[in-house]
Amino acid sequence: MKHGKKYNESAKLVERATLYDTNEALDLAVKTAKAKFDETVEVHIRLGVDSRHADQQVRGAVVLPNGTGRSVRVAVFAKGPEADAAAAAGAEIVGAEDLVAKIQGEGFMDFDVCIAAPNMMGLVGRLGKVLGPRGLMPSPKAGTVTPDVAKAVTEAKAGKIEYRLDKTNIIHCPIGKASFGVEKLAENFNTLLDAVIKAKPAASKGQYIRSCSVATTMGPGIKINPNKVGSAAAAE
């Protein structure tokens, strides 16, 4: 694969075979962010589980202490007092049957997070084929199906992210912007890793965190030593 001049310059800063400590890797990530925009820093974690088995799923949500650095547009399915509370908490879009109709009929998707009150899930279920593939379907595990929709809106605005395995047993998550600097990125990284480690399935055997790397939007991957992240639970 051919890369641009800036990418190649950044790649020279990274030893591909080296497993870096977390702070070293994040420092390199900041240095390799050479685009004209504020690049997102992403973490990619390969786990020693098999996502094909229900008892080895890893999924959850966590509020990053320093946020993600991006503004989040929130849609909420709620009625009555819950709808009023969601709007007061800052949700951009609040509705019920009208919102379902807008999404189904007009293809409206101008939001990044979707939250629903439990009594709305019969309605929201109609949108499974639309919201599911985009990772927007509300879920109790992610905290996006909840009776306290106002709290969920506040957390989403504060930098709550969802983590879940893909088909190759890897979790991909943003942990902030390159402009955050190493200290804030490290705080977000450690918060995410601790949450992933606590979510370790009982059925998982052997090494849980197989590999871990960080990269900016336009930069090269930087490998982190998987034996030096999170707590001792990351190993066996």
Side-chain angles (χ1 to χ4, degrees), residues 32-43:
T32 59
K34 298 181 180 295
K36 293 181 180 180
F37 60 92
D38 193 4
E39 295 183 51
T40 295
V41 179
E42 294 186 348
V43 175

Side-chain angles (χ1 to χ4, degrees), residues 4-184:
K5 181 180 178 181
K6 289 183 179 179
Y7 178 95
N8 290 330
E9 288 177 355
S10 295
K12 291 178 182 177
L13 300 174
V14 180
E15 295 289 340
R16 293 180 63 87
T18 298
L19 296 177
Y20 293 94
D21 287 341
T22 300
N23 282 21
E24 289 179 315
L26 292 172
D27 182 52
L28 278 173
V30 171
K31 290 176 179 176
T32 59
K34 298 181 180 295
K36 293 181 180 180
F37 60 92
D38 193 4
E39 295 183 51
T40 295
V41 179
E42 294 186 348
V43 175
H44 309 278
I45 310 162
R46 182 184 295 277
L47 299 181
V49 297
D50 189 341
S51 61
R52 294 174 298 179
H53 299 292
D55 63 350
Q56 294 188 47
Q57 290 294 322
V58 179
R59 180 180 183 181
V62 63
V63 178
L64 299 180
N66 299 299
T68 62
R70 61 189 283 254
S71 58
V72 178
R73 298 162 298 173
V74 181
V76 178
F77 289 91
K79 288 182 177 180
E82 292 169 337
D84 295 338
E92 283 79 3
I93 307 120
V94 182
E97 288 87 356
D98 56 332
L99 183 52
V100 171
K102 191 172 184 179
I103 293 172
Q104 286 182 323
E106 302 174 22
F108 177 76
M109 295 296 295
D110 194 19
F111 50 88
D112 307 297
V113 176
C114 190
I115 295 164
N119 61 1
M120 290 283 103
M121 285 310 293
L123 193 65
V124 179
R126 303 175 193 172
L127 302 173
K129 292 183 179 179
V130 179
L131 300 178
R134 293 174 171 82
L136 292 171
M137 191 67 182
S139 160
K141 286 187 177 181
T144 46
V145 175
T146 171
D148 194 346
V149 291
K151 180 182 178 182
V153 171
T154 301
E155 289 181 340
K157 293 285 185 180
K160 186 175 186 177
I161 59 168
E162 182 179 358
Y163 59 87
R164 62 187 300 178
L165 285 176
D166 67 9
K167 292 181 180 179
T168 60
N169 305 316
I170 299 175
I171 288 174
H172 310 271
C173 278
I175 57 166
K177 298 288 186 177
S179 61
F180 281 20
V182 174
E183 185 176 344
K184 288 185 176 181

